[in-house]
Amino acid sequence: MGSSLGLCLGKAPTSSQLFLFFAMGTNIQPGTEMEVIVEETLSVGDCLKIMLEKSGLSGDAWHLRKTDWCYEAGEPLCEENATLQELKICSGDTLLLVEGKLPLPGVLKMPIWWYQPRGPSGHWESQDQPHSSSQGNGWRASGTQGAAGHVPAEGSLSYLGDMEISEDTALVDLKFQARALAPSSELAVPAPALLRAWTVESRRPGRLLRADRQQLKEYKLGRRAAICLEPLQEEERLGPQDVLLRTRMRIPGERAYAPAVDLVWDTARGWTAGSLRQKVADLYSLPVEKIEIAKYFPEKFEWLPISSWNQQMTKRKKKKKQDTLQGAPYYLKDGDTIGVKNLLVDDSEDFSTARDDAGRDEQEQLAHGKAGSREVLCAQSSDVVSSAVTPVRPRGPEASLSIHVGSFR
């Protein structure tokens, strides 16, 4: 009673068939999906042919991708001979027809980006500086707006090109081959030893790839990985216990920061706040009790002060707990930005910048907009339900519930 049914043209799928949606490209517009009914024992290659024929497309430069939980392009279906059933494709799933041939097994096809944390003058590059990209949809990392010194922690990303490379290739060989992608007129790419390699996550450098002699397959990059290369002034050798951080000294009275300085922190003695504070104090030649430090969370536009220790209340007693920055709430890792405040000249409690205020305001506006949209949809849904004349079913009499538990002795 009260259910809604839809009348669809065509025969219903049998128990051995799948009802699938599919769309072209990775930017799905609502209402543009097409439908197809196929056998669950059909191979990925044959399913691709059926979808191409129904779309009016031809050629072999296409492949299928799943959609992830947020309805965006996910992992490609690489095994063309595998059946839909083996790959756990279910009725109602949406597949994407994406242009481009899949690389051969054991070969990675990844975009290569150029990461420039500072401009030639040592300042952060501005968003309105010229930027060229060989991709039509090239993007630039967020956080490069405004004048130099007012940007919290970001640099710029420039697209160099796609590279097909074997999983057995060492990281140093990837750096060497990537040099050929950079236009000589735009970028002076140094030797492989003067390049850092990062994965690209959320449009910014993510995981630092350390060992040059390690094979790419040992990093477990996945088929959607992207790599960005960062130039260095001198060769560096990071140990397994070293963490690379970006430290930025706050400019008193300006709500701004000086250009970033790289800090290599040896965590062999532990991921403690006291150890990090001492390392930062040594870097800037300041007394450790005269500095305050905070980690920057760019996705939230927030700074979290790092104290020397925290207290944990227990039922029995109050005790000091050895802090670790590797876990909650800091989750410190390579590439994180650490703001530094010199208490000798700056006694304010605020670490944020004007750009942080603008970013948080924008996030609040987006959240209010989504909430308003949900309220409108709920109101429309309630109007539809109230307009339908559905008899109210009388409630049945309440009955007692008995649970019998067997003896397992």
Side-chain angles (χ1 to χ4, degrees):
M1 185 68 69
S3 298
S4 298
L5 301 179
L7 186 64
C8 301
L9 186 64
K11 291 184 178 181
T14 65
S15 59
S16 64
Q17 291 180 323
L18 300 175
F19 177 81
L20 302 176
F21 297 97
F22 69 97
M24 288 179 54
T26 56
N27 187 17
I28 308 175
Q29 300 297 328
T32 60
E33 302 95 334
M34 291 177 277
E35 305 163 0
V36 67
I37 296 176
V38 294
E39 294 289 337
E40 62 182 4
T41 56
L42 194 70
S43 68
V44 172
D46 291 337
C47 181
L48 174 61
K49 292 177 182 177
I50 292 175
M51 292 180 175
L52 287 173
E53 183 178 353
K54 193 161 185 177
S55 305
L57 302 172
S58 60
D60 57 353
W62 297 88
H63 66 276
L64 292 177
R65 285 182 179 266
K66 290 183 179 180
T67 51
D68 57 18
W69 64 273
C70 56
Y71 213 58
E72 294 181 352
E75 293 291 335
L77 304 182
C78 301
E79 304 175 32
E80 294 191 345
N81 295 325
T83 65
L84 301 176
Q85 185 180 34
E86 292 172 344
L87 298 179
K88 298 181 180 180
I89 304 298
C90 305
S91 285
D93 285 352
T94 300
L95 301 180
L96 300 179
L97 272 171
V98 182
E99 193 170 7
K101 291 191 68 173
L102 287 172
L104 298 174
V107 176
L108 298 174
K109 183 177 181 180
M110 58 179 66
I112 306 297
W113 297 82
W114 180 258
Y115 178 63
Q116 188 71 39
R118 289 184 292 271
S121 62
H123 297 292
W124 298 90
E125 294 187 2
S126 175
Q127 180 78 12
D128 55 4
Q129 289 180 355
H131 170 246
S132 63
S133 171
S134 37
Q135 265 190 344
N137 60 347
W139 46 261
R140 191 163 193 161
S142 61
T144 56
Q145 297 178 354
H150 291 266
V151 184
E154 302 290 340
S156 63
L157 281 167
S158 304
Y159 175 73
L160 297 183
D162 286 345
M163 174 185 291
E164 289 193 8
I165 192 167
S166 171
E167 292 180 332
D168 298 328
T169 304
L171 178 62
V172 64
D173 296 325
L174 179 145
K175 295 179 181 179
F176 186 83
Q177 295 180 36
R179 300 171 65 198
L181 299 175
S184 57
S185 59
E186 295 183 17
L187 299 174
V189 181
L194 296 177
L195 289 174
R196 279 190 194 129
W198 303 80
T199 60
V200 179
E201 300 171 11
S202 301
R203 299 189 175 185
R204 61 173 60 94
R207 178 160 60 105
L208 178 61
L209 308 181
R210 296 166 174 265
D212 273 352
R213 298 298 174 183
Q214 191 166 320
Q215 293 180 334
L216 297 179
K217 63 182 178 183
E218 298 178 43
Y219 288 107
K220 298 180 180 179
L221 299 174
R223 291 190 171 271
R224 297 182 64 192
I227 301 295
C228 66
L229 302 176
E230 176 189 354
L232 300 173
Q233 297 296 326
E234 58 184 18
E235 186 177 351
E236 69 178 6
R237 296 185 182 275
L238 298 177
Q241 301 293 334
D242 292 336
V243 179
L244 176 66
L245 302 173
R246 319 273 193 187
T247 62
R248 303 200 66 184
M249 177 62 72
R250 186 171 176 85
I251 302 175
E254 295 188 21
R255 298 194 72 197
Y257 287 87
V261 177
D262 288 346
L263 170 68
V264 177
W265 174 37
D266 184 3
T267 61
R269 296 184 179 180
W271 290 68
T272 65
S275 173
L276 177 59
R277 286 170 59 88
Q278 185 63 59
K279 185 69 176 179
V280 173
D282 294 341
L283 176 66
Y284 287 97
S285 301
L286 292 170
V288 68
E289 67 274 7
K290 294 300 180 181
I291 66 167
E292 288 292 343
I293 59 176
K295 178 188 169 179
Y296 185 59
F297 291 86
E299 66 279 358
K300 299 179 181 179
F301 300 97
E302 293 179 353
W303 298 83
L304 181 60
I306 300 177
S307 57
S308 295
W309 58 274
N310 58 2
Q311 291 183 333
Q312 182 185 27
M313 297 295 296
T314 62
K315 293 181 179 179
R316 295 185 179 180
K317 61 182 179 178
K318 179 180 178 181
K319 65 178 182 179
K320 290 184 180 180
K321 178 184 175 184
Q322 184 69 27
D323 55 351
T324 172
L325 303 182
Q326 198 172 15
Y330 300 104
Y331 300 104
L332 203 63
K333 63 183 185 306
D334 290 317
D336 281 346
T337 295
I338 302 297
V340 185
K341 192 182 298 182
N342 182 0
L343 299 181
L344 295 173
V345 294
D346 185 1
D347 57 356
S348 66
E349 298 180 357
D350 184 27
F351 274 92
S352 63
T353 65
R355 181 183 173 278
D356 295 328
D357 297 340
R360 286 193 296 267
D361 291 342
E362 184 178 353
Q363 287 182 340
E364 289 180 3
Q365 292 174 5
L366 290 174
H368 289 321
K370 291 180 180 178
S373 300
R374 284 195 296 268
E375 291 176 0
V376 171
L377 290 175
C378 290
Q380 293 175 348
S381 177
S382 61
D383 291 342
V384 172
V385 173
S386 61
S387 63
V389 181
T390 56
V392 179
R393 297 181 62 183
R395 294 182 60 181
E398 295 184 0
S400 60
L401 177 64
S402 299
I403 301 176
H404 298 280
V405 180
S407 177
F408 296 95
R409 295 180 180 177

